[in-house]
């Protein structure tokens, strides 16, 4: 009731009775809005909005941006009905989640399937792509596909199929991490003579996380040591049961080098796409995804895009996140100029005012003004911190009463540790929460692991596993939580606290400075003191001191006394001499190093 009274006070002349109060308008909130704009939209003093945010547990200023869920709760607390952003509005902020809700079914038409080929290196992905590309070009096209644009289209029995020519599951997942789910079907290539290898397993986990249909192409069946049954057995061990063995995963034997089985593979792609009933509305402004982009010396920024819905035409205004421009020209995968591109068609376009990233989404706007407004809105949303789920987030969500899954990517040092960690984590599952291990392997934590975590909103756990080159930097950029452990008890304890909503804040040990012991003094009954010279940083009265001898820590404790000559001081800084007494320690020796540490909560 207090909330309604506050709203009434802000409208001055409104009567206090509910019967006489007019119905408040429905607020059409975007997916992110500044506190100032939210207050202006409701006609309420920003100070009152900030106070309400504080009551909800959010400490924000007037210029900070809050997400829809927060803004919606605040608006409703003031009595305003709220309308959620539409998929079209969300698209303008970088997320392509295509739905057909609200559209007339008569406007939807079938579209070609978009297929990505994944698998282990040297298992024949490139050869398979080349075999499909060279033997299935459109009738009448001489020379086939003349340029590489990262995607191409073939026709089989009159049905078009679009293939994304990505460098593997890294690009596949990079697109998903940026909100672009572009693949309809994944082809998993497994060599019949090699079986499932580490990259094959990674690809399986990436595709499972994307939740798209899988077709397994068992390649190199022409090899004398080929063993397709071993591949099927290995797939079954990873919860991929092929149709031959009573499952629902299609398996096709092929020889990419000799062109055998290609027709069967394409036939199965068409069958899967027909079952999926892939449709789109071509009679609207286009939306889609950037597959790749580069700077051409003569053309400027050139981007390969995949149209997902609508029809892309030349001379239209285009927006890609914070970039805008006009489509000056379009080329298809055969290097020919085209004037328009429908759903699932890849084209190379010129005219974007900058270089977008793979996975960025594009939107066509009706005019220049709309494009400019969309770019400005996108720039405002960048104030919202991009952060994926952390163990603290999981704990907070569970404590608030939500039922959640905790998705983990686990890397260990040896295979023996893998099963021990898996068993310990799986025992944490309860009726309210579940620990899902979406990828588990041995070795260092790689950039691929971080990208999979970003795409799946997962937490990366390393058990005696060190980060590979660039993994920590990428994790910081993508907002991925990466945890390192060397004791399995600590690992399980942190995850258990997270799923029980009890995880304490993470702490970090900060080294503030160090000093060298130059003399040792007797101080009567109190024992002995160390005369020190501060070599670097500072020694603070509140510090914890590590006594180091021959690069080994021999004692750790707080400071009992800190002096500069005869005066008690709060700290000694770089270049000063003084006396230090460490609580619980008297065996000082000249040359010992006293390291000053403090614990900081993150």
């Amino acid at each position: 009731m207090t909330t309604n009274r506050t709203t009434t006070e802000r409208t001055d002349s409104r009567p206090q009775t509910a019967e006489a109060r007019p119905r408040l308008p429905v607020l059409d909130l975007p997916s992110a809005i500044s506190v100032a704009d939210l207050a202006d939209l409701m006609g309420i003093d920003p100070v009152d909005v900030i106070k309400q945010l504080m009551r909800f547990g959010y400490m924000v200023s007037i210029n900070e941006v809050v997400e829809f869920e927060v803004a919606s709760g605040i608006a409703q607390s003031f009595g305003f009905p709220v309308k959620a952003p539409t998929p079209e509005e969300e698209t303008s902020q970088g997320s392509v989640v295509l739905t057909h809700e609200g559209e007339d079914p008569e406007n939807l038409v079938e579209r070609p399937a978009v297929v990505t080929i994944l698998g282990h290196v040297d298992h024949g992905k490139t050869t398979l792509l080349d075999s499909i590309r060279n033997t299935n070009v459109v009738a009448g096209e001489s020379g086939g596909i003349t340029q590489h644009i990262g995607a191409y289209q073939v026709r089989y029995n009159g049905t078009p199929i679009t293939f994304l020519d990505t460098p593997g599951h890294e690009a596949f997942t990079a697109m998903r991490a940026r909100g672009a789910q572009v693949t309809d079907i994944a082809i998993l290539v497994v060599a019949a003579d090699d079986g499932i290898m580490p990259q094959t397993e990674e690809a399986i986990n990436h595709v499972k996380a994307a939740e798209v249909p899988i077709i397994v192409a068992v390649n190199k069946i022409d090899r004398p040591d080929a063993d397709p049954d071993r591949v099927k057995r290995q797939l079954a061990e990873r919860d991929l049961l092929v149709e031959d063995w009573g499952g629902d995963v299609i398996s096709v034997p092929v020889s990419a080098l000799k062109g055998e089985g290609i027709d069967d593979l394409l036939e199965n792609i068409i069958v899967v796409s027909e079952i999926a009933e892939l449709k789109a509305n071509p009679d609207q402004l286009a939306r889609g995804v950037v597959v790749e982009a580069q700077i051409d010396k003569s053309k400027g920024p050139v981007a390969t895009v995949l149209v997902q819905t609508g029809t892309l035409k030349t001379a239209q205004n285009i927006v890609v996140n914070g970039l805008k421009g006009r489509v000056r020209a379009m080329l298809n995968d055969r290097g020919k100029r085209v004037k328009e591109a429908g759903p699932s068609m890849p084209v190379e376009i010129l005219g974007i005012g900058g270089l977008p990233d793979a996975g960025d989404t594009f939107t066509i706007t009706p005019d220049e003004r709309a494009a400019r407004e969309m770019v400005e809105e996108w720039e405002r949303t960048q104030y919202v911190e991009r952060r994926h789920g952390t163990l603290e987030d999981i704990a907070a969500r569970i404590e608030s009463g939500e039922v959640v899954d905790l998705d983990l990517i686990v890397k260990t040092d040896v295979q023996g540790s893998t099963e021990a960690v898996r068993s310990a984590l799986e025992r944490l599952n309860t009726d309210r929460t579940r620990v899902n291990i979406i990828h588990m392997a041995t070795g260092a934590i790689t950039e691929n692991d971080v990208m999979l975590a970003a795409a799946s909103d997962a937490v990366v756990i390393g058990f005696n596993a060190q980060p590979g080159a660039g993994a920590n930097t990428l994790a910081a950029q993508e907002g991925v939580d990466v945890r390192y452990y060397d004791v399995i008890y600590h690992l399980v304890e942190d995850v258990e606290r997270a799923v029980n909503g009890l995880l304490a804040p993470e702490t970090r040990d900060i080294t503030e400075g160090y000093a060298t012991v130059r003399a040792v003094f007797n101080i009567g009954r109190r024992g002995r003191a160390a005369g020190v010279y501060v070599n670097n940083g500072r020694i603070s009265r509140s510090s914890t001191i590590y006594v180091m001898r021959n690069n080994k820590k021999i004692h750790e404790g707080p400071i009992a006394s800190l002096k500069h000559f005869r005066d008690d001081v709060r700290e000694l800084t770089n270049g000063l001499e003084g006396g230090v007494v460490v609580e619980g320690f008297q065996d000082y020796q000249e040359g010992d190093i006293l390291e000053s540490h403090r614990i900081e909560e993150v």
Side-chain angles (χ1 to χ4, degrees):
M1 302 305 110
T2 303
T3 301
N4 290 338
R5 182 167 62 254
T6 303
T7 306
T8 303
E9 289 171 357
R10 297 298 160 219
T11 52
D12 297 328
S13 61
R14 291 183 182 176
Q16 297 293 324
T17 60
E19 292 80 4
R21 190 185 313 136
R23 184 178 179 182
L24 295 176
V26 177
L27 298 184
D28 191 358
L29 295 179
S31 59
I33 186 172
S34 69
V35 174
D37 289 343
L38 178 61
D40 184 60
L41 200 59
M42 296 188 293
I44 295 175
D45 192 321
V47 174
D48 290 329
V49 176
I50 292 174
K51 288 180 179 177
Q52 191 72 346
L53 281 161
M54 291 173 66
R55 295 187 189 102
F56 277 52
Y58 299 99
M59 304 297 292
V60 296
S61 67
I62 189 172
N63 293 319
E64 288 190 60
V65 176
V66 294
E67 296 180 346
F68 170 78
E69 290 76 11
V70 178
S72 173
I74 297 300
Q76 291 179 60
S77 72
F78 283 109
F80 287 87
V82 172
K83 178 186 176 185
T86 64
E88 288 78 11
E89 291 168 335
E90 290 183 345
T91 297
S92 69
Q93 297 167 35
S95 175
V96 174
V97 182
L98 297 180
T99 65
H100 304 306
E101 294 180 6
E103 289 196 41
D104 188 344
E106 294 183 358
N107 295 332
L108 301 178
V109 300
E110 291 185 5
R111 65 172 178 82
V114 179
V115 180
T116 301
I117 298 183
L118 306 171
H120 188 74
V121 65
D122 293 332
H123 276 202
K125 300 189 303 292
T126 303
T127 307
L128 182 60
L129 282 164
D130 289 341
S131 183
I132 294 171
R133 182 162 43 194
N134 295 331
T135 60
N136 292 274
V137 295
V138 176
E141 294 284 354
S142 60
I145 295 171
T146 57
Q147 62 178 26
H148 173 77
I149 69 166
Y152 62 90
Q153 212 170 56
V154 302
R155 283 185 177 271
Y156 181 75
N157 291 339
T159 302
I161 304 171
T162 299
F163 287 88
L164 290 185
D165 190 1
T166 69
H169 54 261
E170 296 89 348
F172 171 79
T173 306
M175 290 186 182
R176 288 188 55 239
R178 294 187 174 93
Q181 182 78 345
V182 298
T183 302
D184 299 313
I185 302 170
I187 306 297
L188 180 68
V189 180
V190 186
D193 57 342
D194 262 357
I196 289 182
M197 302 295 281
Q199 279 188 313
T200 317
E201 192 149 0
E202 280 191 19
I204 290 172
N205 291 322
H206 284 243
V207 175
K208 282 184 176 180
E211 297 181 346
V212 297
I214 300 176
I215 298 176
V216 179
V218 183
N219 192 26
K220 302 185 181 181
I221 57 170
D222 54 311
R223 293 284 185 91
D225 53 347
D227 188 357
D229 286 338
R230 179 171 67 117
V231 173
K232 295 173 183 178
R233 183 172 60 254
Q234 292 175 331
L235 290 170
E237 292 169 355
R238 290 157 179 81
D239 298 325
L240 291 178
L241 198 60
V242 299
E243 289 181 333
D244 296 351
W245 289 21
D248 56 3
V249 176
I250 297 174
S251 171
V252 183
V254 299
S255 171
L257 191 62
K258 296 184 177 181
E260 297 175 6
I262 302 300
D263 288 344
D264 289 341
L265 179 62
L266 295 173
E267 183 68 42
N268 278 288
I269 291 173
I270 293 173
V271 170
V272 173
S273 63
E274 288 176 349
I275 294 173
E277 295 184 346
L278 306 172
K279 293 184 178 182
N281 181 4
D283 300 322
Q284 62 180 0
L285 295 176
R287 302 199 311 274
V289 179
V290 176
V291 176
E292 63 181 24
Q294 59 185 351
I295 297 292
D296 187 281
K297 292 182 180 179
S298 59
K299 301 176 183 177
V302 177
T304 298
V305 302
L306 179 70
V307 180
Q308 292 192 292
T309 188
T311 299
L312 178 63
K313 301 177 182 179
T314 55
Q316 287 183 321
N317 292 284
I318 187 170
V319 174
V320 186
N321 289 347
L323 304 172
K324 62 183 179 68
R326 183 182 292 269
V327 181
R328 298 202 316 266
M330 291 194 297
L331 303 174
N332 65 13
D333 54 6
R334 290 167 180 80
K336 291 192 172 183
R337 283 184 174 262
V338 292
K339 293 184 178 180
E340 60 180 43
S344 296
M345 181 173 176
V347 287
E348 188 178 76
I349 63 172
L350 286 68
I352 300 176
L355 194 65
D357 292 323
D360 284 350
T361 57
F362 76 83
T363 305
I364 297 299
T365 62
D367 50 46
E368 168 69 20
R369 179 181 176 183
R372 185 170 59 253
E373 291 176 350
M374 190 172 287
V375 170
E376 291 172 354
E377 175 66 21
W378 181 87
E379 290 173 346
R380 282 195 293 269
T381 64
Q382 297 313 292
Y383 288 104
V384 179
E385 180 185 7
R386 184 184 182 187
R387 185 182 179 186
H388 296 277
T390 65
L391 288 185
E392 288 82 3
D393 297 333
I394 297 295
R397 289 163 59 195
I398 295 174
E399 192 173 18
S400 67
E402 296 182 40
V403 179
V404 298
D405 288 353
L406 171 56
D407 292 332
L408 298 178
I409 293 168
V410 183
K411 298 300 283 288
T412 65
D413 53 346
V414 294
Q415 191 63 38
S417 300
T418 300
E419 295 308 318
V421 172
R422 182 192 297 275
S423 176
L425 291 175
E426 287 178 346
R427 285 198 295 268
L428 299 179
N429 292 332
T430 68
D431 293 337
R432 292 180 57 239
T433 59
R434 181 170 183 81
V435 177
N436 293 326
I437 302 176
I438 62 176
H439 177 58
M440 192 170 196
T442 58
I445 294 173
T446 65
E447 293 184 359
N448 292 341
D449 298 322
V450 174
M451 289 307 298
L452 177 56
S456 308
D457 202 18
V459 175
V460 180
I461 299 290
F463 180 68
N464 288 328
Q466 298 304 312
N472 281 339
T473 302
L474 183 61
Q477 293 173 352
E478 296 292 335
V480 171
D481 189 18
V482 181
R483 303 280 177 127
Y484 299 97
Y485 299 91
D486 53 13
V487 179
I488 192 170
Y489 171 75
H490 294 158
L491 185 160
V492 175
E493 185 181 50
D494 273 4
V495 175
E496 185 175 19
R497 285 177 177 174
V499 298
N500 287 321
L502 300 175
L503 189 65
E506 183 181 348
T507 58
R508 184 161 51 199
D509 188 337
I510 306 296
T511 302
E512 292 189 306
Y514 61 90
T516 302
V517 177
R518 291 188 170 180
V520 181
F521 304 100
N522 292 319
I523 50 177
R525 293 182 181 179
R526 297 179 60 191
R528 310 175 79 196
V532 301
Y533 175 81
V534 182
N535 304 85
N536 192 21
R538 63 179 182 173
I539 306 293
S540 300
R541 181 67 178 78
S542 58
S543 302
T544 297
I545 297 297
Y546 292 3
V547 182
M548 309 294 293
R549 184 174 298 162
N550 297 324
N551 295 321
K552 293 182 179 180
K553 182 171 71 173
I554 61 173
H555 181 75
E556 174 184 341
I559 292 179
S561 174
L562 184 65
K563 291 181 178 289
H564 180 51
F565 295 107
R566 294 181 179 273
D567 299 325
D568 287 318
V569 294
R570 299 185 65 180
E571 67 177 29
L572 294 174
T573 55
N574 186 28
L576 294 181
E577 294 181 335
V580 178
V581 176
V582 180
E583 193 172 296
F585 186 76
Q586 296 185 17
D587 185 26
Y588 305 102
Q589 293 183 11
E590 291 186 20
D592 286 350
I593 302 296
L594 304 187
E595 288 187 359
S596 173
H597 290 254
R598 65 180 172 86
I599 302 300
E600 179 183 81
E601 278 192 357
V602 180

